[in-house]
Amino acid sequence: MKTSHAVLFTILASALVVRHVEAHHSFAPVYDAKRTIVVEGVVKEFRFINPHALMLMDVADDTGKVVTWTVEFAGRLNLGEGGWNERTVTPGQKVTVTGNPTHTNSPRMFFLHLVRADGSELFPPSKARQDAIEEQRRQRARERTDGKQ
Amino acid sequence: MRQCLAIAIVAALTAVPATSQSHSNFEGMWSDPPFTAEDTFCAAWCTDVGLARLEALLDNPANDKRPFADLSAEAERYQRDQYIRPHLSDANVKKFPLDPAADPGFLRCEPWGVARQIAARHQLQIRQTGRDRLDLRYGEWDAHRTVYLDGRQRPAGQAPTAMGFSVGHYEGGMLVIETTGIAANLTSYSSDHSDRLRIVERYTRSSDGKRLSLTATLDDPVSLRQPIELKKVWSWAPTSEIAPYKGCQRPTEFSTGK
């Protein structure tokens, strides 16, 4: 089966960048939090394990050569809290994944966002927490403003 | 019948620990803290200094457009520089903070010692095992430790271990655990400790039973000038499960710059 065409580019979508408040173990030695890349491919395997869940995906470059990428997630203990399970990502799915690249630009990334072919999306479980906190902050700002009036 | 069963299941899942029993009211599964800025800041560990800094940042209108993650990171740096660093011994200050790439847990998949484990994110399961002991199980590394409640002393001559020797008692509604005999290892605040470390943990539960708070005092005459006090928060999480650790992989690549 021919894999999807690979797309690698840096994006400026700061809204997608969920900080690694839940990142397990040492993130900085391997991944570059200041850069973001997007990769399209087909899922080979999803390992829902501790301490880090992993996904292997086949990605074709511009010449058609297929490279297997590793996408690293937080551990099962973290993803499970957000409702993920072994079937959240399944082999054969066409996916577009956004993540932080390695410092060495090897075929490996730390997960930030995934879009399936049907348009459904996956975010790290920490996004719901971040959204709730930002809403509380907006409320706090409104109350501060109201208090001055 | 089916409706009754559904109600019973929902009731079981949402039940909180008993509030009137002092000896069993910590039992059950606890996990990630409530979705608030302050509790999230303390999901692993925090200090009063860091919390005060975070509050100041949140209250400043100039920061309203900055993402919470930025403010949290700034408060974290502040507590490391203004609280942790001044508490470290001269020898430890020189190597603070330790290089995360040198972490044995990261390099060799070595489970953490107790000084780090008590501040681990995610699940903490507390079970009474018999009348005289508690079992504390952590989602991180699926680690266990035993806390003896019968007043026993650490056996003389017992060699230090990664999780140490823990004894506990209740003070009103508070669970107090003292741990000694801890093998030299890393702490959660990016420094190391000696085998003379002594940790006192004080656990309390909110009046509604849904929030567990820890204040831990770490005292080590080798690595610290004076004791460090850390805080942490969990939420009641009866449906959460601890999964086994398997397939830990050693990293194959490292940065050329952090």
Side-chain angles (χ1 to χ4, degrees), chain B residues 186-247:
Chain B
L186 301 179
T187 67
S188 57
Y189 46 85
S190 301
S191 186
D192 53 19
H193 68 80
S194 77
D195 60 8
R196 294 173 66 187
L197 175 67
R198 172 178 173 267
I199 304 175
V200 177
E201 300 155 75
R202 293 180 173 84
Y203 294 87
T204 56
R205 204 191 65 237
S206 61
S207 57
D208 66 1
K210 295 180 178 177
R211 188 171 185 275
L212 178 67
S213 302
L214 164 65
T215 299
T217 304
L218 291 82
D219 192 3
D220 177 7
V222 177
S223 68
L224 300 174
R225 290 177 185 273
Q226 50 187 313
I228 276 180
E229 190 173 278
L230 305 180
K231 298 192 170 182
K232 178 172 170 60
V233 179
W234 294 262
S235 289
W236 177 239
T239 61
S240 186
E241 296 178 353
I242 294 176
Y245 258 62
K246 58 183 180 182

Coordinates of all heavy atoms in Angstrom, one line a residue, chain B residues 186-247:
Chain B
L186 N 18.1 10.7 43.5 CA 17.7 12.0 43.0 C 16.4 12.5 43.8 O 15.6 11.7 44.2 CB 17.4 12.0 41.5 CG 18.6 11.6 40.7 CD1 18.2 11.6 39.2 CD2 19.8 12.5 40.9
T187 N 16.2 13.8 43.8 CA 15.0 14.4 44.3 C 14.1 14.8 43.1 O 14.6 14.8 42.0 CB 15.3 15.6 45.2 OG1 15.8 16.6 44.4 CG2 16.3 15.2 46.3
S188 N 13.0 15.3 43.4 CA 12.1 15.8 42.4 C 12.5 17.2 41.9 O 12.1 17.7 40.9 CB 10.6 15.9 42.9 OG 10.6 16.7 44.1
Y189 N 13.4 17.9 42.8 CA 13.7 19.3 42.4 C 15.1 19.4 41.8 O 15.9 20.3 42.0 CB 13.6 20.2 43.7 CG 14.3 19.6 44.9 CD1 15.6 19.8 45.2 CD2 13.5 18.9 45.9 CE1 16.2 19.3 46.4 CE2 14.0 18.4 47.0 CZ 15.4 18.6 47.3 OH 16.0 18.1 48.4
S190 N 15.5 18.4 41.0 CA 16.7 18.4 40.2 C 18.0 18.5 41.0 O 18.9 19.2 40.6 CB 16.6 19.5 39.1 OG 15.5 19.4 38.3
S191 N 18.0 17.9 42.1 CA 19.2 17.8 42.9 C 19.3 16.4 43.4 O 18.3 15.6 43.3 CB 19.1 18.8 44.0 OG 20.4 18.9 44.7
D192 N 20.4 16.0 44.1 CA 20.4 14.7 44.6 C 20.4 14.8 46.2 O 20.5 15.9 46.7 CB 21.6 13.9 44.1 CG 23.0 14.7 44.3 OD1 23.0 15.6 45.1 OD2 23.9 14.3 43.6
H193 N 20.3 13.7 46.8 CA 20.3 13.6 48.3 C 21.2 12.5 48.8 O 21.6 11.6 48.0 CB 18.9 13.5 48.8 CG 18.3 12.1 48.5 ND1 18.5 11.0 49.3 CD2 17.4 11.8 47.6 CE1 17.8 10.0 48.8 NE2 17.2 10.4 47.7
S194 N 21.6 12.5 50.0 CA 22.4 11.5 50.6 C 21.5 10.4 51.3 O 20.3 10.6 51.4 CB 23.4 12.1 51.7 OG 22.6 12.4 52.9
D195 N 22.2 9.4 51.9 CA 21.4 8.4 52.6 C 21.0 8.9 54.0 O 20.5 8.1 54.8 CB 22.1 7.1 52.6 CG 23.5 7.1 53.3 OD1 23.8 8.2 53.9 OD2 24.2 6.1 53.2
R196 N 21.3 10.1 54.3 CA 20.9 10.7 55.6 C 19.6 11.5 55.5 O 19.2 12.1 56.4 CB 22.0 11.5 56.2 CG 23.2 10.7 56.5 CD 24.4 11.6 56.9 NE 24.1 12.3 58.2 CZ 24.9 13.2 58.7 NH1 26.0 13.5 58.1 NH2 24.6 13.8 59.8
L197 N 19.0 11.4 54.3 CA 17.7 12.1 54.1 C 16.6 11.6 55.0 O 16.5 10.3 55.2 CB 17.3 12.0 52.6 CG 15.9 12.5 52.3 CD1 15.9 14.1 52.4 CD2 15.5 12.1 50.8
R198 N 15.9 12.5 55.5 CA 14.7 12.1 56.3 C 13.5 12.9 55.7 O 13.6 14.1 55.5 CB 14.9 12.5 57.8 CG 13.6 12.3 58.7 CD 14.0 12.7 60.1 NE 12.9 12.7 61.0 CZ 12.2 13.8 61.3 NH1 12.5 15.0 60.7 NH2 11.1 13.8 62.1
I199 N 12.4 12.2 55.4 CA 11.2 12.8 54.8 C 10.1 12.6 55.8 O 9.8 11.5 56.3 CB 10.9 12.2 53.5 CG1 12.1 12.2 52.5 CG2 9.7 12.9 52.9 CD1 11.8 11.5 51.2
V200 N 9.4 13.7 56.0 CA 8.1 13.6 56.8 C 7.0 14.1 55.9 O 7.0 15.3 55.4 CB 8.1 14.5 58.1 CG1 6.8 14.5 58.8 CG2 9.2 14.0 59.0
E201 N 6.1 13.2 55.6 CA 4.9 13.6 54.7 C 3.7 13.8 55.6 O 3.4 13.0 56.5 CB 4.6 12.4 53.7 CG 5.8 12.1 52.8 CD 5.7 10.7 52.3 OE1 4.9 10.4 51.5 OE2 6.5 9.8 52.9
R202 N 2.9 14.8 55.3 CA 1.7 15.1 56.0 C 0.6 15.2 55.0 O 0.6 16.1 54.1 CB 1.8 16.3 56.8 CG 2.8 16.2 58.0 CD 2.9 17.5 58.8 NE 3.7 17.4 60.0 CZ 5.0 17.5 60.0 NH1 5.7 17.7 58.8 NH2 5.7 17.3 61.1
Y203 N -0.4 14.2 55.0 CA -1.5 14.1 54.1 C -2.8 14.6 54.8 O -3.1 14.2 55.9 CB -1.7 12.7 53.6 CG -0.5 12.2 52.7 CD1 0.6 11.6 53.3 CD2 -0.6 12.3 51.3 CE1 1.6 11.1 52.6 CE2 0.5 11.8 50.6 CZ 1.6 11.2 51.2 OH 2.6 10.8 50.4
T204 N -3.5 15.4 54.1 CA -4.8 15.9 54.6 C -5.8 15.8 53.4 O -5.4 15.8 52.2 CB -4.8 17.3 55.1 OG1 -4.3 18.2 54.1 CG2 -3.9 17.4 56.4
R205 N -7.1 15.7 53.8 CA -8.1 15.6 52.8 C -9.1 16.7 52.9 O -9.3 17.1 54.1 CB -8.8 14.2 52.9 CG -9.5 13.7 51.7 CD -10.4 12.6 52.0 NE -11.5 13.0 52.8 CZ -11.8 12.5 54.0 NH1 -11.0 11.5 54.5 NH2 -12.8 12.9 54.7
S206 N -9.6 17.2 51.8 CA -10.5 18.3 51.9 C -11.8 17.8 52.6 O -12.1 16.6 52.7 CB -10.8 18.9 50.5 OG -11.4 17.9 49.7
S207 N -12.6 18.8 53.1 CA -13.8 18.4 53.8 C -14.8 17.7 52.9 O -15.6 16.9 53.4 CB -14.5 19.7 54.3 OG -14.7 20.6 53.3
D208 N -14.8 17.9 51.6 CA -15.7 17.2 50.7 C -15.1 15.8 50.3 O -15.7 15.1 49.5 CB -16.1 18.0 49.5 CG -14.9 18.3 48.6 OD1 -13.8 17.8 48.8 OD2 -15.1 19.0 47.5
G209 N -13.9 15.5 50.7 CA -13.3 14.2 50.4 C -12.7 14.1 49.1 O -12.2 13.0 48.7
K210 N -12.7 15.1 48.2 CA -12.4 14.9 46.8 C -10.9 15.4 46.5 O -10.5 15.3 45.4 CB -13.3 15.7 45.9 CG -14.7 15.1 46.0 CD -15.7 15.9 45.1 CE -17.1 15.2 45.1 NZ -18.1 16.0 44.3
R211 N -10.3 15.9 47.5 CA -8.9 16.5 47.3 C -8.0 16.0 48.3 O -8.3 16.1 49.5 CB -9.1 18.0 47.3 CG -7.9 18.8 46.9 CD -8.3 20.3 46.7 NE -7.3 21.1 46.2 CZ -6.3 21.7 47.0 NH1 -6.3 21.5 48.3 NH2 -5.4 22.5 46.4
L212 N -6.8 15.6 47.9 CA -5.8 15.1 48.8 C -4.6 16.0 48.7 O -4.1 16.3 47.6 CB -5.4 13.7 48.4 CG -4.3 13.0 49.3 CD1 -4.7 12.8 50.7 CD2 -3.8 11.7 48.6
S213 N -4.1 16.5 49.8 CA -3.0 17.4 49.8 C -1.8 16.8 50.6 O -2.0 16.2 51.6 CB -3.4 18.8 50.4 OG -4.4 19.4 49.8
L214 N -0.6 17.1 50.1 CA 0.6 16.6 50.8 C 1.5 17.8 51.0 O 1.7 18.7 50.2 CB 1.3 15.6 49.9 CG 2.8 15.3 50.3 CD1 2.9 14.6 51.6 CD2 3.5 14.5 49.2
T215 N 2.0 17.8 52.3 CA 3.1 18.7 52.6 C 4.3 17.8 53.0 O 4.1 17.1 54.0 CB 2.8 19.7 53.7 OG1 1.7 20.5 53.3 CG2 4.0 20.6 54.0
A216 N 5.4 17.9 52.3 CA 6.5 17.0 52.6 C 7.7 17.8 53.0 O 8.1 18.8 52.3 CB 6.8 16.1 51.4
T217 N 8.3 17.5 54.1 CA 9.5 18.1 54.6 C 10.7 17.2 54.4 O 10.7 16.1 54.9 CB 9.4 18.5 56.1 OG1 8.2 19.3 56.2 CG2 10.6 19.3 56.5
L218 N 11.7 17.7 53.7 CA 12.9 16.9 53.4 C 14.0 17.5 54.1 O 14.3 18.7 53.9 CB 13.2 16.8 51.9 CG 12.2 16.0 51.0 CD1 10.9 16.9 50.7 CD2 12.8 15.6 49.7
D219 N 14.7 16.7 54.9 CA 15.8 17.2 55.7 C 17.0 16.3 55.5 O 16.9 15.1 55.7 CB 15.4 17.2 57.2 CG 16.4 18.0 58.1 OD1 17.4 18.5 57.5 OD2 16.2 18.0 59.3
D220 N 18.1 16.9 55.0 CA 19.3 16.1 54.7 C 20.5 17.0 55.0 O 20.8 17.9 54.3 CB 19.3 15.7 53.2 CG 20.5 14.9 52.8 OD1 21.4 14.6 53.7 OD2 20.7 14.7 51.6
P221 N 21.3 16.6 56.1 CA 22.4 17.5 56.5 C 23.5 17.5 55.4 O 24.4 18.4 55.5 CB 22.9 16.8 57.8 CG 22.4 15.4 57.7 CD 21.1 15.5 57.0
V222 N 23.5 16.6 54.5 CA 24.5 16.6 53.5 C 24.2 17.4 52.3 O 25.0 18.3 51.8 CB 24.8 15.1 53.0 CG1 25.9 15.1 51.9 CG2 25.2 14.3 54.2
S223 N 23.0 17.3 51.8 CA 22.6 18.0 50.5 C 21.9 19.3 50.7 O 21.7 20.1 49.8 CB 21.8 17.1 49.6 OG 20.5 16.8 50.2
L224 N 21.4 19.6 52.0 CA 20.6 20.8 52.2 C 21.2 21.6 53.4 O 21.7 21.0 54.4 CB 19.2 20.4 52.6 CG 18.4 19.6 51.6 CD1 17.0 19.1 52.2 CD2 18.2 20.4 50.3
R225 N 21.1 22.9 53.2 CA 21.4 23.8 54.3 C 20.3 23.8 55.4 O 20.6 23.9 56.6 CB 21.5 25.3 53.8 CG 22.7 25.6 53.0 CD 22.5 27.0 52.5 NE 23.6 27.4 51.6 CZ 24.8 27.8 51.9 NH1 25.1 27.9 53.2 NH2 25.7 28.1 51.0
Q226 N 19.1 23.7 55.0 CA 18.0 23.7 55.9 C 16.9 22.9 55.2 O 16.9 22.7 53.9 CB 17.5 25.1 56.2 CG 17.3 26.0 55.1 CD 17.0 27.4 55.5 OE1 16.2 27.6 56.4 NE2 17.7 28.4 54.9
P227 N 15.9 22.4 55.9 CA 14.9 21.5 55.3 C 14.1 22.2 54.2 O 13.9 23.4 54.3 CB 14.0 21.2 56.5 CG 14.8 21.3 57.7 CD 15.8 22.5 57.4
I228 N 13.7 21.5 53.2 CA 12.9 21.9 52.1 C 11.4 21.4 52.3 O 11.2 20.3 52.7 CB 13.4 21.5 50.8 CG1 14.6 22.4 50.3 CG2 12.4 21.3 49.7 CD1 15.2 22.1 49.0
E229 N 10.5 22.3 52.1 CA 9.1 21.9 52.2 C 8.4 22.0 50.8 O 8.4 23.0 50.2 CB 8.4 22.8 53.2 CG 7.0 22.4 53.5 CD 6.3 23.2 54.6 OE1 6.6 22.9 55.8 OE2 5.5 24.1 54.3
L230 N 7.9 20.8 50.4 CA 7.2 20.7 49.1 C 5.8 20.4 49.3 O 5.4 19.8 50.3 CB 7.9 19.6 48.3 CG 9.4 19.6 48.0 CD1 9.8 18.4 47.2 CD2 9.8 20.9 47.4
K231 N 5.0 20.8 48.3 CA 3.5 20.5 48.4 C 3.1 19.8 47.1 O 3.7 20.0 46.1 CB 2.8 21.8 48.6 CG 3.1 22.5 49.9 CD 2.2 23.6 50.3 CE 2.5 24.0 51.8 NZ 1.7 25.0 52.3
K232 N 1.9 19.2 47.2 CA 1.4 18.4 46.1 C -0.1 18.2 46.3 O -0.5 18.1 47.4 CB 2.1 17.1 45.9 CG 1.6 16.2 44.8 CD 2.5 15.1 44.5 CE 1.9 14.1 43.6 NZ 1.6 14.7 42.3
V233 N -0.8 18.0 45.2 CA -2.3 17.9 45.3 C -2.7 16.7 44.3 O -2.2 16.6 43.2 CB -3.0 19.2 44.8 CG1 -4.5 19.0 44.9 CG2 -2.6 20.3 45.7
W234 N -3.7 15.9 44.8 CA -4.4 14.9 44.0 C -5.9 15.2 44.0 O -6.4 15.8 45.0 CB -4.1 13.5 44.5 CG -2.7 13.0 44.4 CD1 -2.2 12.1 43.5 CD2 -1.7 13.1 45.4 NE1 -0.9 11.8 43.8 CE2 -0.6 12.4 45.0 CE3 -1.6 13.8 46.6 CZ2 0.6 12.3 45.7 CZ3 -0.4 13.7 47.3 CH2 0.7 13.0 46.9
S235 N -6.6 14.6 43.1 CA -8.0 14.5 43.1 C -8.5 13.1 43.4 O -7.8 12.1 42.9 CB -8.7 15.0 41.8 OG -8.5 16.3 41.6
W236 N -9.6 12.9 44.0 CA -10.2 11.6 44.2 C -10.6 11.0 42.8 O -11.2 11.7 42.0 CB -11.5 11.7 45.0 CG -12.3 10.5 45.2 CD1 -13.6 10.3 44.9 CD2 -11.9 9.3 45.9 NE1 -14.0 9.0 45.3 CE2 -13.0 8.4 45.9 CE3 -10.7 8.9 46.4 CZ2 -12.9 7.1 46.4 CZ3 -10.6 7.6 47.0 CH2 -11.7 6.7 47.0
A237 N -10.1 9.8 42.5 CA -10.2 9.3 41.1 C -10.5 7.8 41.1 O -9.7 7.0 40.7 CB -8.9 9.5 40.3
P238 N -11.7 7.4 41.6 CA -12.0 6.0 41.8 C -12.0 5.2 40.5 O -11.8 3.9 40.6 CB -13.4 6.1 42.4 CG -14.0 7.4 42.0 CD -12.9 8.3 41.9
T239 N -12.2 5.8 39.4 CA -12.2 5.0 38.1 C -10.8 4.9 37.5 O -10.6 4.2 36.5 CB -13.1 5.6 37.1 OG1 -12.7 6.9 36.8 CG2 -14.6 5.6 37.6
S240 N -9.8 5.6 38.0 CA -8.5 5.5 37.5 C -7.8 4.2 37.7 O -8.1 3.6 38.8 CB -7.6 6.7 38.0 OG -6.4 6.7 37.4
E241 N -7.0 3.8 36.8 CA -6.3 2.5 37.0 C -4.8 2.7 36.8 O -4.3 3.5 36.1 CB -6.8 1.5 36.0 CG -8.3 1.1 36.1 CD -8.7 0.1 35.1 OE1 -7.9 -0.1 34.1 OE2 -9.9 -0.3 35.2
I242 N -4.1 1.8 37.5 CA -2.6 1.9 37.4 C -2.2 0.7 36.4 O -2.6 -0.4 36.6 CB -1.9 1.7 38.7 CG1 -2.2 3.0 39.6 CG2 -0.4 1.5 38.5 CD1 -1.6 2.9 41.0
A243 N -1.5 1.1 35.4 CA -1.1 0.1 34.4 C 0.3 -0.3 34.6 O 1.1 0.5 35.2 CB -1.3 0.7 33.0
P244 N 0.7 -1.5 34.3 CA 2.1 -2.0 34.5 C 3.0 -1.2 33.6 O 2.7 -0.6 32.6 CB 2.0 -3.4 34.0 CG 0.9 -3.5 33.1 CD -0.2 -2.5 33.6
Y245 N 4.3 -1.2 34.1 CA 5.3 -0.6 33.3 C 6.0 -1.7 32.5 O 6.4 -2.7 33.0 CB 6.4 0.1 34.2 CG 6.3 1.5 34.3 CD1 5.1 2.1 34.8 CD2 7.3 2.4 33.8 CE1 5.0 3.5 34.9 CE2 7.1 3.7 33.9 CZ 6.0 4.3 34.4 OH 5.8 5.6 34.5
K246 N 6.1 -1.4 31.2 CA 6.8 -2.4 30.3 C 7.3 -1.7 29.1 O 6.7 -0.7 28.7 CB 5.8 -3.5 29.9 CG 4.6 -3.1 29.2 CD 3.7 -4.3 28.9 CE 2.4 -3.8 28.2 NZ 1.5 -4.9 27.9
G247 N 8.3 -2.2 28.5 CA 8.8 -1.7 27.3 C 9.5 -0.4 27.4 O 9.6 0.4 26.5

